[in-house]
Every structure is written in C-alpha cells, then in structure tokens.
C-alpha cells in the first residue's frame, strides 16, 4: 500500500512539473515575448521634406506637335534636259529669284531664231496686205489669212521663249536649300526633285488638341514651345484652327506661328507645346517626387506633430534632437505640371511639409525624423572620349 502511494505521489509530482514547464514554454513565454515586442516602437524613419508653396501659374493647354515649314517645296524642272550650270551648294541660304541651275536650251534657242524669222516674214506680209486692202486691190479674206499667219508665228516665238525660261530654275522665295541631288551633265526629267527649298523664319508648329478644348482656343493666343536638346523657350501665337474635328481621335488640329530668327528649329522636329489659355492664378505646388501614383488615386505623406500619447516615438525623437513627428497620408487632386513641380488642387495647403524622398518605407502615422542631408546627388559628368 505504501509503495503504491509513493508511486502515485511521484507520478503526480512529475506530471505537475512537466505541465508547469509546458505552460511556461508554450503559453506564458510567447505571451511575454509578444507583449515585449508590442511595447517596442520602431525607430523613426529619416526622410527629406519640402514645403508646399504658392506659385502664380498661367493656365496652359499642353500638346505634342511637329514643326512644319512656313514655305517648302521640292525644286523640280518642268521640262527635261542636260544640266549645264549649278549655282548652289547643299545647305546654302538663297534669296528670292536666285538662279539655281540651268538646263541645256540650245535646241530651243534655234527654234526661237527660226520662229523670229518666220514672224518677221509674216509681219511683212500682213502689212503688205493691209496696204493693198486700203486701195481695194485685195480681199478681206486674204488680209485675215495674213493676220492668222502672223499670230501663229508670234505664238511659236512665245512658246520657244517660255520653254527657254523654264530651263532656268530660280528660287521662288528666300530660304535654305537641302541636300543637292543633281550634278552638272546629268539628264533630268520633268518633275524630278533636284533639291528642297524651305523658308525657316518664321516656322509653323502643328499640334492636336482634344475637342473639349475648342472653347479655350482661339487665334492670336500666346504659345510656348520647348524642343529636346535646346534650353531656349520659343514663343509664338496661334495662327489658325482647323475647320473640323477628327472622327478617329476626337481632336482638332491647331497651327501656331513661331519666330525662328536663329533658324535652329527645323521642319519635322518634335515640339512640347503649351497654349496659354487664361489669366494667372495662385496655385499650391509640390515637387513631383512627393506624389505617389496608384490605381486608388494620387497621394502624398505630410509631416505633422505626433499626438502627446506617443511616448515611445517622443523618446526616440528626443534622443535624435528633433521634435516628435509622424506622417499623414493625404489623397490629392492634382493638376498640371511645370518642370519638376506639380499643382495640387486639393489635399495639401501652402506651408505644409511633404515628404519628397523616402516614401517607399513609410506607413500612415509612422514616426519620422527630418534628414536635411537628403536629396538626389547629381552624377559627375562622364569623361569625353
């Protein structure tokens, strides 16, 4: 009996010991660790911030355009023949009326001399018949026949002169020549393009605008244009608006005229166009890097003071020598962009500080510290080869 009681006592003692160790290991200890972790606040994130500011912006209608020549043609002969003289080089500036080239006209010159002789003889015959009819010695029909012969000879002479004139190609307007496609001694056929002639100052830029913008566009409006590879801001004005809207794109074609005194703008170049379409207005702007874009809308993180109850964050911020700050996620209604800044129509007020770098590691209400050393560093220029 005593042995059974002792065995039961030892068994109960071991079961209690094992149960206590298991409860401590699998219940109490995980809860203790979980509570300890919950009380630990993550360290504040270092971010770069900028203040939203108010700028005066003129409303603009942005568009993508292409430069078109003010005047531009392919210089081509009306008649064929052998090129005898060339008076231009590729890329040359020429004045209106400048002789570009001549085509061999020896045959036409011979025809002209023959025609002049025929016309002289016909003219003498006509005068003789006019003298005879005044004395009643010839019929009116004979005089009319002489008149017709003389007119035919004169027409032949004019035709020869016209063909000779067509074999001298002149610049119909001042401009710049393109690449020459002809050489002396080459036979050219009628209509063959020999060189391009383009008037570059002024120059046109054509660009489409959506039909919703028709009410805001009119001739004479100022236009600002930028092109890739040039820092110059080119200015012009709306010259004309197309009389119809494209059924495929629901856009209307607009043409602006731009001064091109230095002739750095060439037909076919890509153009970033902005039509100034209203009076200047006050607009709140932030850097484009401060705005995050997603399917749920545009947003930005705004730095605000932390509430008093955030003791852990306050302690860590105090250690860093900065006030305790947190971030709020604000959903925005954005507008147009100008350079590296974007207009905020709703969601941020002027003077509020927004995070410009470091948003990817932030969550709403996260504690932050401001790192004044932030900012993208420009790369050193690569050495030229």
């Amino acid at each position: 009996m005593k042995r059974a009681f002792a065995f039961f006592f030892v068994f109960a003692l071991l079961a209690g010991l094992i149960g206590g160790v298991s409860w401590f290991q699998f219940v109490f200890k995980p809860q203790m660790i979980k509570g300890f972790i919950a009380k630990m606040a993550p360290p504040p994130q270092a971010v770069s911030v900028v203040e939203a500011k108010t700028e005066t912006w003129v409303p603009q209608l942005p568009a993508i355009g292409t430069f078109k020549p003010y005047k531009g043609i392919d210089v081509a002969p009306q008649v064929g023949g052998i090129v005898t003289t060339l008076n231009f080089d590729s890329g040359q500036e020429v004045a209106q009326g400048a002789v570009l080239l001549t085509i061999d006209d020896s045959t036409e010159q011979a025809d002209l001399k023959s025609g002049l002789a025929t016309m002289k003889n016909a003219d003498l015959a006509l005068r003789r018949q006019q003298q005879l009819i005044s004395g009643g010695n010839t019929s009116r029909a004979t005089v009319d026949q002489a008149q017709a012969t003389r007119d035919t000879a004169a027409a032949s002479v004019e035709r020869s002169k016209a063909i000779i004139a067509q074999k001298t190609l002149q610049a119909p307007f001042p401009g710049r020549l393109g690449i020459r496609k002809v050489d002396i001694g080459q036979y050219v056929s009628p209509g063959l393009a020999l060189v391009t002639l383009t008037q570059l100052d002024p120059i046109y830029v054509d660009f489409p605008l959506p039909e919703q913008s028709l009410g805001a566009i009119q001739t004479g409006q100022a236009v600002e244009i930028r092109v890739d590879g040039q820092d110059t801001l080119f200015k012009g004005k709306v010259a004309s608006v197309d009389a119809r809207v494209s059924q495929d794109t629901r856009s209307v074609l607009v043409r602006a005229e731009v001064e091109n005194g230095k002739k750095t703008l060439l037909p076919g170049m890509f153009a970033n166009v902005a039509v100034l379409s209203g009076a200047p207005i006050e607009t709140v702007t932030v850097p484009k890097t401060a705005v995050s874009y997603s399917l749920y809308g545009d947003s930005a993180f705004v730095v605000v003071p932390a509430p008093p109850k955030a003791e852990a964050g306050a302690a860590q911020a105090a250690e860093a020598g900065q006030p305790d700050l947190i971030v709020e996620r604000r959903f925005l209604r954005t507008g147009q962009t100008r350079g590296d800044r974007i207009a905020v129509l709703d969601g941020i007020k002027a003077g509020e500080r927004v995070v410009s770098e470091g948003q990817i590691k932030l969550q709403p209400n996260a504690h932050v510290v401001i790192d004044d050393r932030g900012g993208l560093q420009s790369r050193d220029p690569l050495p030229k080869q």
Side-chain angles (χ1 to χ4, degrees):
M1 184 68 179
K2 291 182 179 180
R3 294 179 63 183
F5 178 77
F7 177 77
F8 178 78
F9 177 78
V10 173
F11 178 78
L13 183 62
L14 291 175
L17 181 61
I18 294 172
V21 172
S22 299
W23 176 83
F24 176 81
Q25 186 70 23
F26 298 105
V27 178
F28 180 76
K29 185 178 179 180
Q31 289 182 352
M32 182 179 62
I33 295 174
K34 184 177 180 180
F36 178 74
I37 293 176
K39 292 180 180 179
M40 291 182 61
Q45 300 289 346
V47 296
S48 298
V49 300
V50 293
E51 283 192 2
K53 62 181 181 180
T54 301
E55 297 186 66
T56 302
W57 282 10
V58 178
Q60 295 182 351
L61 299 176
I64 301 300
T66 303
F67 286 100
K68 303 290 184 180
Y70 187 79
K71 293 179 182 178
I73 62 169
D74 288 328
V75 179
Q78 293 179 269
V79 292
I82 301 296
V83 176
T84 56
T85 60
L86 280 175
N87 301 323
F88 70 93
D89 293 321
S90 299
Q92 180 180 339
E93 297 281 346
V94 295
Q96 182 176 356
V99 176
L100 303 179
L101 61 87
T102 58
I103 299 173
D104 179 40
D105 60 355
S106 56
T107 301
E108 287 73 17
Q109 292 288 356
D111 291 340
L112 176 61
K113 293 178 180 179
S114 175
L116 289 172
T118 302
M119 187 180 70
K120 182 178 180 181
N121 183 50
D123 192 50
L124 292 174
L126 176 61
R127 292 180 183 178
R128 189 179 302 111
Q129 293 298 325
Q130 288 175 343
Q131 292 175 357
L132 291 175
I133 197 173
S134 61
N137 297 321
T138 187
S139 64
R140 186 65 192 179
T142 304
V143 176
D144 293 340
Q145 181 63 37
Q147 180 69 48
T149 302
R150 191 266 179 193
D151 293 343
T152 301
S156 178
V157 170
E158 293 299 325
R159 182 178 183 277
S160 296
K161 290 181 178 180
I163 294 177
I164 293 173
Q166 290 174 356
K167 290 199 170 185
T168 299
L169 275 66
Q170 297 178 317
F173 52 84
R176 181 183 296 176
L177 297 171
I179 301 298
R180 193 181 70 187
K181 303 175 184 178
V182 63
D183 291 306
I184 293 179
Q186 178 180 343
Y187 176 84
V188 293
S189 57
L192 177 65
L194 307 180
V195 68
T196 60
L197 175 62
T198 306
Q199 183 174 341
L200 299 177
D201 185 26
I203 193 170
Y204 286 137
V205 58
D206 292 352
F207 54 93
L209 285 177
E211 61 178 326
Q212 295 88 344
S213 302
L214 273 174
I217 190 74
Q218 58 184 350
T219 57
Q221 282 181 312
V223 175
E224 294 182 349
I225 301 167
R226 293 187 181 275
V227 297
D228 294 337
Q230 299 187 35
D231 296 330
T232 305
L233 177 64
F234 299 92
K235 296 185 177 182
K237 60 182 179 180
V238 176
S240 59
V241 181
D242 202 355
R244 59 181 180 179
V245 174
S246 171
Q247 294 183 356
D248 298 329
T249 61
R250 294 300 174 187
S251 61
V252 62
L253 186 64
V254 181
R255 170 167 288 181
E257 183 178 319
V258 184
E259 295 297 327
N260 189 25
K262 295 183 179 180
K263 300 180 180 179
T264 56
L265 302 176
L266 301 178
M269 290 179 64
F270 176 89
N272 289 297
V273 184
V275 181
L276 308 185
S277 60
I281 58 175
E282 299 293 325
T283 305
V284 177
T285 68
V286 297
K288 289 192 292 186
T289 56
V291 181
S292 300
Y293 304 93
S294 70
L295 296 176
Y296 304 101
D298 305 336
S299 63
F301 284 104
V302 180
V303 177
V304 297
K309 63 181 180 180
E311 298 179 356
Q316 295 180 352
E319 293 178 0
Q322 293 194 7
D324 189 19
L325 303 172
I326 63 172
V327 290
E328 293 181 352
R329 167 169 273 172
R330 303 270 186 89
F331 284 94
L332 314 176
R333 186 163 62 92
T334 57
Q336 296 182 350
T337 60
R338 305 281 174 87
D340 61 349
R341 301 190 69 83
I342 184 171
V344 178
L345 307 180
D346 187 26
I348 295 178
K349 297 179 181 179
E352 291 188 308
R353 294 181 295 179
V354 296
V355 178
S356 60
E357 293 181 31
Q359 303 96 319
I360 193 171
K361 56 189 177 182
L362 294 181
Q363 296 292 334
N365 300 319
H367 289 267
V368 296
V369 292
I370 298 176
D371 184 6
D372 295 330
R373 298 171 301 172
L376 296 176
Q377 302 297 326
S378 59
R379 296 177 58 187
D380 294 333
L382 296 176
K384 295 183 178 180
Q385 299 295 332

